[in-house]
């Protein structure tokens, strides 16, 4: 599956969404004018509006006035909802009643879902998202929310943790990762904001009726006014119901086919159709189904893997469960899996002590066989197999699972600890030279929250230097959920310390730049006001200048001989169709030039980003080897561009 093409498809869906929304607004404005005219006709003698002499209830003045008022109400509601959702997935999950599962949670059920999410994230080439638990929901459901992969979260109900085994959870999580990677997640957030505008009219009508219910005035004039206000409230409520009709229709039109696509992606990711199919069978045979009790599930119903609200088939945001299962398993006999509601949560490993459960988590994490199909999906999006740049795979392929298998248990535990994780990141920046390392620690010791942090950082550094440098990147990606548990003050101090560690030697190398910007990119959405990249460049020539800087930098960092540098640059330039650009001088390809160029490329359209990454992969893989730094640069570029990171299966050449 080409996720870049799916992102473009999701973007086109946004255009249809806007068109449907505009049509719905026009109809609501027309009905509002009819409602106002009816009210004026009923209460002609006491109308507060200054009617024209001809007493026309459909005059241009009234039409313009009502249209402006309705448009203003809708725009205000959309702007308010968008402001609420600006923090991305975290805000949506919390509004639905979700609570963040700490990365070092001791609950076996929570450990299992964290483990599954980690596997899928690293396999699909993106950092590990935070996981939120809807602990008061007994229905089986899950969702992915956020604007970009940087602020994405995975949400899951308590019922799903209680009723699904590991394979079924993996299918559900793979389904949600598809929504992240193919652009549905961003579309779903926009859908919530836009539709809140036309649904808000119903809320306004309910408010007017509520105020009249508790009105205690008894004068005849006041009662007359109360009747008018109540009539207006009923009218607005009726308009709101019509708005909800259009909202449900729009959600159904946009979401249904995307659910089929996500189910197919889950099978492709896991290579186990039984996982997602059995999860759907359990939802279909479960007493509580996939329904949610939170009232806010109505506006977010299209984000879940199953129907959060039971509506008629015409308005359902999801295809029928049986239809979805039949597409996954064409020979399915139609039998569902019956499950009873568990009144009390029963741990999956009920006979395992907490100590053994922790040991089980570490073993599972280290022995993970990451999903090959997810890597294939990323590679298929990058490689054009009709081109000449095809690469043979080395027997010494370095996979993420192989990297994690060599990480010490203590280091993995520290990376999952919200208190200790910052020591891991600090350790990743410490110099191999003792004098320089001591200077780095001296520069940050006054800005540490605990005096013991220096010893903890040194211990983490000793663990890190005991394994190969290629393990640095997956370790950092595993650390992000714990890093997101910091407070805003802790984050500011943390970023100050990172800058101090990097600048201790008065220079910034490419590895330091990549690490710092990966951390900044994935944490800033939670702690800072950031300007998201917007698709501006829709053609290859528009990105020629920044692309030549990035491609030249990769050619220099990945190859030593002049002829190899020139050949690598040429292959990358030709594969994207830029035949006239030339290799830049090395002094124009330093970190201070590389960074701004990558940020410009982030403003390309998804299909252009696909071609950019494909060209960069062709450049670094000229010698059919991949250095650790090349891999880190490619992954950092993909992250800043908000793209799935490519899993390049080539032998790693140690620098």
């Amino acid at each position: 599956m080409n996720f870049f093409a799916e992102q473009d498809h999701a973007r086109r869906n946004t255009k249809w969404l806007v068109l449907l929304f505009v049509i719905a607004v026009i109809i609501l404005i027309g009905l509002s004018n009819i409602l106002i005219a009816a009210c004026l006709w009923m209460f002609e003698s006491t109308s507060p509006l200054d009617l024209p002499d001809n007493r026309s209830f459909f005059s241009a003045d009234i039409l313009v006035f009502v249209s402006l008022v309705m448009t203003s109400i809708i725009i205000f509601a959309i702007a308010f909802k968008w402001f609420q959702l600006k923090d991305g997935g975290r805000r949506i999950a919390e509004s639905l009643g979700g609570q963040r599962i700490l990365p070092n949670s001791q609950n076996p059920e929570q450990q299992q879902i964290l483990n599954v999410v980690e596997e899928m994230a690293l396999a699909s080439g993106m950092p590990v998202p935070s996981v939120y638990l809807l602990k008061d929901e007994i229905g089986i459901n899950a969702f992915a929310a956020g604007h970009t992969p940087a602020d994405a979260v995975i949400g899951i109900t308590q019922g799903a943790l209680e009723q699904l085994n590991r394979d079924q959870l993996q299918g559900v999580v793979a389904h949600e990762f598809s929504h992240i990677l193919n652009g549905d997640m961003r579309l779903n957030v926009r859908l919530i904001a836009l539709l809140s505008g036309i649904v808000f009219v119903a809320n306004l009508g309910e408010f007017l009726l509520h105020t009249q219910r508790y009105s205690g005035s008894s004068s005849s004039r006041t009662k007359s006014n109360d009747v008018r206000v109540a009539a207006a409230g009923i009218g607005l409520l009726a308009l709101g119901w019509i708005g909800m009709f259009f909202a449900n229709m729009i959600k159904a039109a946009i979401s249904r086919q995307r659910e089929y696509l996500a189910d197919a992606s889950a099978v492709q990711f896991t290579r186990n159709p039984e996982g997602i199919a059995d999860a759907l069978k359990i939802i279909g045979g479960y007493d509580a189904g996939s329904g949610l009790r939170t009232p806010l599930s109505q506006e977010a119903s299209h984000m879940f893997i199953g129907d959060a609200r039971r509506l008629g088939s015409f308005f359902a945001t999801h295809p029928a469960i049986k239809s979805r299962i039949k597409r996954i398993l064409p020979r399915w006999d139609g039998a569902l899996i019956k499950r009873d509601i568990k009144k009390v949560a029963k741990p999956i490993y009920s006979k395992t002590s907490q100590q053994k459960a922790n040991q089980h988590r570490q073993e599972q994490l280290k022995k993970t066989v990451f999903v090959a199909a997810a890597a294939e999906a990323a590679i298929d999006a990058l490689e054009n197999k009709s081109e000449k740049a095809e690469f043979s795979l080395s027997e010494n392929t370095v996979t993420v699972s192989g990297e994690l298998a060599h990480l010490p248990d203590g280091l993995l535990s520290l990376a999952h600890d919200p208190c200790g994780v910052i020591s891991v990141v600090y350790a990743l920046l410490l110099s191999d030279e003792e004098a320089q390392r001591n200077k780095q620690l001296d520069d940050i010791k006054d800005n540490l929250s605990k005096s013991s942090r220096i010893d903890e950082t040194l211990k983490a550094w000793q663990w890190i230097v005991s394994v190969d440098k290629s393990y640095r990147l997956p370790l950092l990606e595993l650390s992000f959920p714990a890093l997101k548990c910091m407070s805003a003050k802790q984050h500011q101090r943390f970023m100050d310390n990172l800058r101090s560690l990097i600048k201790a030697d008065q220079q910034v190398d490419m590895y330091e730049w990549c690490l710092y910007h990966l951390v900044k990119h994935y944490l800033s959405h939670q702690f800072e006001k950031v300007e998201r990249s917007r698709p501006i460049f829709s053609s290859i020539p528009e990105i020629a200048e920044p692309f030549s800087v990035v491609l030249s930098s990769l050619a220099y960092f990945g190859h030593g001989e002049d002829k190899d540098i020139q050949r690598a640059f040429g292959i990358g330039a030709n594969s994207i169709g830029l035949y006239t650009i030339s290799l830049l001088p090395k002094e124009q390809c330093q970190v201070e030039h590389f960074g701004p160029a990558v940020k410009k490329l982030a403003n390309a359209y998804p299909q252009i980003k696909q071609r950019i990454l494909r060209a960069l992969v062709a450049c670094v893989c000229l010698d059919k080897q991949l250095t650790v730094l090349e891999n880190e640069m490619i992954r950092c570029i993909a992250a800043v561009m908000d793209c799935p990171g490519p899993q390049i299966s080539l032998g790693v050449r140690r620098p």
Side-chain angles (χ1 to χ4, degrees), residues 16-321:
W16 282 107
L17 166 63
V18 172
L19 177 61
L20 291 172
F21 172 77
V22 170
I23 293 173
V25 169
I26 292 173
I27 293 174
L28 282 178
I29 289 176
L31 293 174
S32 300
N33 278 280
I34 295 175
L35 172 65
I36 294 298
C39 289
L40 293 176
W41 178 75
M42 292 174 60
F43 303 102
E44 179 179 357
S45 60
T46 58
S47 174
L49 297 175
D50 185 13
L51 296 177
D53 293 337
N54 61 4
R55 314 298 282 179
S56 172
F57 304 123
F58 291 98
S59 68
D61 290 342
I62 295 177
L63 179 65
V64 171
F65 175 76
V66 173
S67 299
L68 287 176
V69 169
M70 285 297 297
T71 303
S72 300
I73 289 173
I74 292 172
I75 292 175
F76 170 79
I78 293 173
F80 181 74
K81 178 59 70 173
W82 190 256
F83 177 78
Q84 286 184 317
L85 301 178
K86 67 182 178 63
D87 292 335
R90 174 174 61 96
R91 182 67 65 191
I92 296 172
E94 290 173 351
S95 69
L96 291 169
Q99 296 181 2
R100 191 203 308 261
I101 300 178
L102 295 178
N104 61 344
S105 171
Q106 301 300 305
N107 182 289
E109 290 177 340
Q110 295 178 8
Q111 288 175 358
Q112 179 166 243
I113 186 62
L114 290 172
N115 195 3
V116 169
V117 170
E118 284 178 350
E119 295 169 10
M120 195 56 59
L122 296 177
S124 58
M126 61 176 287
V128 182
S130 299
V131 181
Y132 281 77
L133 175 64
L134 279 61
K135 67 176 184 178
D136 295 327
E137 299 290 353
I138 58 175
I140 301 173
N141 227 322
F143 66 92
H147 298 286
T148 67
D151 65 4
V153 304
I154 297 292
I156 194 160
T157 63
Q158 181 65 34
L161 294 191
E162 293 177 355
Q163 300 292 344
L164 304 182
N165 64 26
R166 183 182 177 84
D167 287 344
Q168 294 153 6
L169 284 174
Q170 191 176 61
V172 168
V173 171
H175 175 104
E176 298 307 330
F177 266 84
S178 170
H179 286 312
I180 297 175
L181 294 172
N182 63 26
D184 291 344
M185 183 180 66
R186 184 186 297 110
L187 175 64
N188 288 338
V189 174
R190 292 174 178 172
L191 198 57
I192 291 176
L194 278 179
L195 298 185
S196 66
I198 54 181
V199 173
F200 178 75
V201 179
N203 298 333
L204 186 59
E206 289 180 357
F207 173 76
L208 290 178
L209 290 176
H210 181 77
T211 56
Q212 292 310 304
R213 183 183 304 172
Y214 296 100
S215 175
S217 182
S218 59
S219 68
S220 60
R221 181 166 182 173
T222 302
K223 287 183 177 180
S224 176
N225 289 334
D226 289 346
V227 171
R228 286 190 298 165
V229 173
I234 293 173
L236 288 174
L237 192 59
L239 285 177
W241 286 336
I242 296 172
M244 293 169 113
F245 170 87
F246 285 116
N248 289 327
M249 187 173 65
I250 291 171
K251 285 195 289 187
I254 295 293
S255 299
R256 288 182 184 178
Q257 289 304 314
R258 310 304 290 177
E259 290 302 312
Y260 282 129
L261 174 65
D263 288 342
S265 299
V267 175
Q268 183 185 17
F269 276 175
T270 61
R271 285 189 174 178
N272 177 20
E274 298 291 341
I276 182 64
D278 284 350
L280 294 174
K281 290 177 188 177
I282 292 173
I283 291 175
Y286 183 47
D287 292 343
S290 56
L292 301 180
R293 292 180 289 185
T294 173
L296 294 177
S297 63
Q298 173 62 40
E299 64 180 6
S301 59
H302 57 289
M303 300 180 64
F304 290 86
I305 190 173
D307 279 316
R309 292 283 181 179
R310 295 188 177 181
L311 302 172
S313 59
F314 181 76
F315 294 115
T317 54
H318 295 64
I321 287 287

Side-chain angles (χ1 to χ4, degrees), residues 472-473 509-515 517-518 549-559 589-591 593-595 598 601 612-613 616-617 619-620 626-641 645-646 648:
R472 298 180 302 194
L473 187 59
D509 61 30
M510 186 58 71
Y511 164 70
E512 292 171 334
W513 185 90
C514 288
L515 185 145
H517 279 83
L518 279 171
V549 175
V550 175
L551 185 62
S552 297
S553 301
L554 277 171
Y556 281 118
F557 279 99
H559 305 86
C589 303
Q590 303 305 310
V591 173
H593 308 102
F594 177 83
V598 172
L601 294 179
I612 291 170
L613 287 177
L616 298 180
V617 169
C619 170
V620 300
L626 188 69
T627 66
V628 173
L629 183 57
E630 284 175 329
N631 183 46
E632 291 169 345
M633 290 174 70
I634 290 289
R635 293 294 292 273
C636 184
I637 292 169
V640 174
M641 291 171 62
I648 311 171

Side-chain angles (χ1 to χ4, degrees), residues 406-584:
H406 291 82
L407 293 177
D409 291 345
L411 184 59
L412 286 173
S413 297
L414 205 59
H416 290 97
D417 184 358
C419 296
V421 66
I422 62 174
S423 296
V424 175
V425 184
Y426 292 159
L428 287 168
L429 287 170
L430 291 183
S431 172
D432 293 335
E433 299 180 5
E434 184 176 1
Q436 181 63 31
R437 185 166 63 252
N438 291 335
K439 182 180 184 307
Q440 287 177 303
L441 295 174
D442 285 339
D443 289 345
I444 67 170
K445 67 180 182 180
D446 293 334
N447 200 27
L448 293 177
S449 57
K450 294 182 179 180
S451 58
S452 60
R453 192 73 68 197
I454 293 290
D455 294 335
E456 191 176 64
T457 301
L458 283 172
K459 181 61 176 177
W461 175 79
Q462 291 171 355
W463 278 325
I464 290 171
V465 297
S466 68
V467 295
D468 193 82
K469 289 184 177 180
S470 61
Y471 311 142
R472 298 180 302 194
L473 187 59
L475 177 63
L476 178 64
E477 292 175 334
L478 282 175
S479 302
F480 286 126
L483 288 172
K484 290 180 180 179
C485 295
M486 292 188 293
S487 67
K489 185 177 180 180
Q490 288 172 328
H491 171 259
Q492 183 60 54
R493 183 165 55 234
F494 171 69
M495 297 304 293
D496 289 342
N497 286 340
L498 290 188
R499 287 187 285 269
S500 297
L501 290 169
I502 291 172
K503 295 178 180 179
D505 58 356
Q506 304 301 316
Q507 61 181 1
V508 181
D509 61 30
M510 186 58 71
Y511 164 70
E512 292 171 334
W513 185 90
C514 288
L515 185 145
Y516 178 80
H517 279 83
L518 279 171
V519 172
K520 181 177 175 61
H521 183 72
Y522 287 112
L523 295 187
S524 58
H525 292 270
Q526 182 160 331
F527 299 105
E528 304 172 13
K529 182 179 180 180
V530 295
E531 184 177 352
R532 296 184 178 89
S533 60
R534 298 180 180 275
I536 298 174
F537 306 124
S538 58
S539 65
I540 296 299
E542 292 179 284
I543 53 95
E545 181 181 352
F547 177 76
S548 62
V549 175
V550 175
L551 185 62
S552 297
S553 301
L554 277 171
Y556 281 118
F557 279 99
H559 305 86
E561 300 292 333
D562 290 343
K563 63 177 182 179
D564 291 336
I565 294 172
Q566 190 65 54
R567 281 187 61 207
F569 179 87
I571 287 176
N574 292 341
S575 66
I576 202 173
L578 291 172
Y579 304 105
T580 59
I581 63 174
S582 56
L583 180 70
L584 298 176

